[in-house]
Amino acid sequence: MRTLIKGGTVLSPTGGVLADVLVQDEQVAAVTAPGVFDTADTVLDATGKYVLPGGIDAHTHMEMPFGGTFSADTFETGTTAAAWGGTTTIIDFAVQAKGTSLVSTLDKWHEKADGNCAVDYGFHMIVSDVNDATLKEMETCIDSGVTSFKMFMAYPGVFYSTDGEILRAMQKARETGSTIMMHAENGIAIDELVAQALASGKGEPVQHGLTRPSALEGEATSRAITLAQVTGAPLYIVHLSAAEALSAVAEARDSGQHVFAETCPQYLYLSIDDLAKPGFEGAKYVASPPLREKRHQADLWRGLRTNDLSVVSTDHCPFCFKDQKELGRGDFSKIPNGMPGVEHRMDLLHQGVVAGEISLGRWVEACSTTPARMFGLYPRKGVIAPGSDADIVIYDPAARQTLSAETHHMNVDYSAYEGFEITGKVETVLSRGKVVVSPSGFSGGTGHGRFLSREKCQYLN
Ligand SMILES: [Zn+2]
């Protein structure tokens, strides 16, 4: 089975070239000058369009347990929405509950995901119970293709790890060449601020932002970097939202430390003003770290240009406004933390290209190529080259669309980007050579997606 994508501009981190792409079964067979091949079983005309490697969203939470409920997208609905938005790989988080083992956790997440995904998927492991057995099991995870471990400096009593526990896990990461991912917010201080706000009768959603000041993200990021320096572990800061945290990352990188960071579209486009919307509306925007004051956004775009922010992921973790966000009416601390976004990352970051904030090459790099290399998937993913999986997006840069809950495919009853006008639109998506999205609709299937056993971070040497 051969598919020819002809006439398009093939994108990579170095920009675009006019080229044709020949796909044989599940892989790219050739990238040629235009017109070298002219027949195949299927010919897709990409004239005037971009042809880019499928997006890789390295931070999603499908059907994740949180505060007595589960995030609203299943692996099936979430990966289908991802495909619609040009994302052909997700890396989701298996969540260790306290008192359970990493291996049984991984088994549980395979049960949820295997056979249910529309695109390929891998796992990171959330470590919330550091002890001798857990540390030993990190090795088993790595052998099973899970080479990155997320820890939390926030959420005391739930996912929180002490500095000592983080240090021990980082030593293990150093020893095994695996990566520690960090949710860097000072949760101990935040919990005091939350208690004080509630005690003085302040329960509305904006308090979620006011009780998690950006300085406490900066402080925790610096502390994580110091612990990584002491132990020699590679460190990846997840969902960086604050200028103070970015400064700490930039300084560490300038000194040669293996420190990396991602940001998310919500921090580039939304702000605490959204959290402060009247009534309970702000609950739609409750995620941690919280949406920041607008002044942070210019710094984050700069960080994307300078590579101090090297990846854009979504932290997709949707909760329905009606039934789930409702749990925190009157008490913002009970609003499930998370926002939907897996479907819109490629489009939203393309607006950065349209606005001149980032180049075309940088768009592809931050959304596909770098996450592939960061999490051990390159060159199978993240590039259009002979031998790579044929995960390919044909993108119409001139199309116009308006984002809305009415038309999105995520299993959630609101859009954080309702009414956003977007220039550009995904036209066709191939996942391992199969057309899963086209102008005539979704033609993929549940169970098409395969588990990706990942290698270690490919930036360490
Ligand atoms: Zn997350």
Side-chain angles (χ1 to χ4, degrees):
M1 172 72 186
R2 282 150 69 100
T3 303
L4 179 63
I5 303 169
K6 55 186 297 183
T9 300
V10 176
L11 301 185
S12 75
T14 53
V17 289
L18 280 175
D20 292 349
V21 180
L22 184 69
V23 173
Q24 170 83 49
D25 301 322
E26 297 198 345
Q27 294 181 327
V28 174
V31 181
T32 73
V36 170
F37 297 97
D38 49 23
T39 58
D41 302 298
T42 306
V43 177
L44 301 171
D45 180 7
T47 305
K49 315 280 164 63
Y50 297 146
V51 178
L52 59 143
I56 299 175
D57 192 339
H59 190 153
T60 67
H61 300 281
M62 306 304 174
E63 45 191 300
M64 188 196 82
F66 189 96
T69 185
F70 287 84
S71 59
D73 264 315
T74 61
F75 278 92
E76 179 180 354
T77 63
T79 55
T80 302
W84 274 104
T87 287
T88 51
T89 298
I90 64 161
I91 311 179
D92 205 271
F93 290 85
V95 186
Q96 180 197 26
K98 285 212 192 290
T100 66
S101 77
L102 297 187
V103 170
S104 66
T105 301
L106 194 54
D107 288 346
K108 203 163 152 184
W109 255 260
H110 273 295
E111 269 173 45
K112 291 181 192 225
D114 293 359
N116 292 322
C117 290
V119 298
D120 290 353
Y121 60 99
F123 294 129
H124 310 286
M125 176 60 71
I126 287 177
V127 177
S128 62
D129 198 349
V130 176
N131 54 49
D132 290 346
T134 297
L135 293 171
K136 183 78 190 150
E137 279 188 318
M138 285 171 67
E139 295 169 18
T140 318
C141 290
I142 294 165
D143 293 341
S144 308
V146 176
T147 55
S148 39
F149 301 90
K150 184 181 179 190
M151 304 188 79
F152 288 78
M153 302 168 101
Y155 302 123
V158 189
F159 298 131
Y160 175 84
S161 290
T162 65
D163 289 356
E165 288 164 342
I166 290 168
L167 183 109
R168 291 183 71 195
M170 282 182 168
Q171 287 170 331
K172 193 68 181 181
R174 162 72 203 215
E175 181 193 321
T176 55
S178 54
T179 301
I180 295 293
M181 307 170 78
M182 190 61 72
H183 180 133
E185 285 186 291
N186 185 328
I188 300 288
I190 285 168
D191 271 16
E192 289 298 332
L193 295 174
V194 169
Q196 288 167 14
L198 290 172
S200 58
K202 296 172 180 165
E204 66 279 16
V206 71
Q207 292 297 328
H208 174 77
L210 298 175
T211 55
R212 308 179 84 93
S214 59
L216 291 181
E217 183 182 339
E219 182 278 326
T221 303
S222 297
R223 185 154 38 100
I225 288 169
T226 302
L227 293 168
Q229 186 184 24
V230 167
T231 56
L235 175 66
Y236 179 93
I237 303 291
V238 294
H239 47 45
L240 188 149
S241 72
E244 296 92 327
L246 179 60
S247 300
V249 167
E251 190 185 312
R253 290 176 59 81
D254 288 348
S255 77
Q257 215 182 320
H258 283 312
V259 172
F260 310 94
E262 67 176 14
T263 191
C264 310
Q266 55 268 35
Y267 302 117
L268 295 165
Y269 288 103
L270 304 174
S271 75
I272 195 165
D273 298 348
D274 293 290
L275 266 176
K277 282 181 177 170
F280 192 57
E281 190 72 7
K284 293 177 177 176
Y285 305 93
V286 167
S288 294
L291 300 181
R292 301 297 186 190
E293 292 161 40
K294 284 208 175 94
R295 67 180 170 88
H296 294 271
Q297 292 173 357
D299 290 297
L300 298 180
W301 282 113
R302 192 196 65 234
L304 276 175
R305 289 190 292 275
T306 60
N307 203 37
D308 289 319
L309 296 172
S310 45
V311 171
V312 177
S313 308
T314 59
D315 195 13
H316 175 78
C317 192
F319 294 100
C320 287
F321 185 59
K322 277 211 180 70
D323 300 327
Q324 298 184 294
K325 291 286 187 179
E326 199 62 36
L327 296 168
R329 194 180 278 274
D331 178 351
F332 67 90
S333 72
K334 295 202 166 60
I335 299 171
N337 280 209
M339 288 170 52
V342 72
E343 189 170 348
H344 300 318
R345 183 182 60 125
M346 301 303 284
D347 283 331
L348 287 166
L349 266 291
H350 184 249
Q351 304 318 290
V353 178
V354 173
E357 293 282 3
I358 54 172
S359 67
L360 260 184
R362 193 64 188 144
W363 175 47
V364 171
E365 191 168 35
C367 292
S368 179
T369 312
T370 298
R373 296 181 66 190
M374 189 71 69
F375 296 109
L377 292 169
Y378 187 89
R380 183 162 40 145
K381 306 293 189 188
V383 61
I384 297 177
S388 294
D389 282 357
D391 289 0
I392 297 173
V393 176
I394 302 177
Y395 194 85
D396 181 351
R400 309 274 304 180
Q401 56 170 325
T402 304
L403 302 186
S404 173
E406 302 283 308
T407 48
H408 75 202
H409 302 85
M410 299 175 286
N411 186 36
V412 60
D413 61 357
Y414 75 95
S415 172
Y417 304 98
E418 188 69 39
F420 266 53
E421 294 197 6
I422 299 286
T423 301
K425 194 175 195 307
V426 169
E427 185 191 272
T428 301
V429 179
L430 280 73
S431 167
R432 292 197 331 274
K434 179 180 166 52
V435 173
V436 295
V437 172
S438 72
S440 48
F442 183 73
S443 53
T446 298
H448 168 77
R450 281 196 205 134
F451 174 69
L452 297 167
S453 182
R454 296 184 293 108
E455 292 164 31
K456 292 168 190 171
C457 174
Q458 293 163 325
Y459 285 107
L460 299 183
N461 294 309

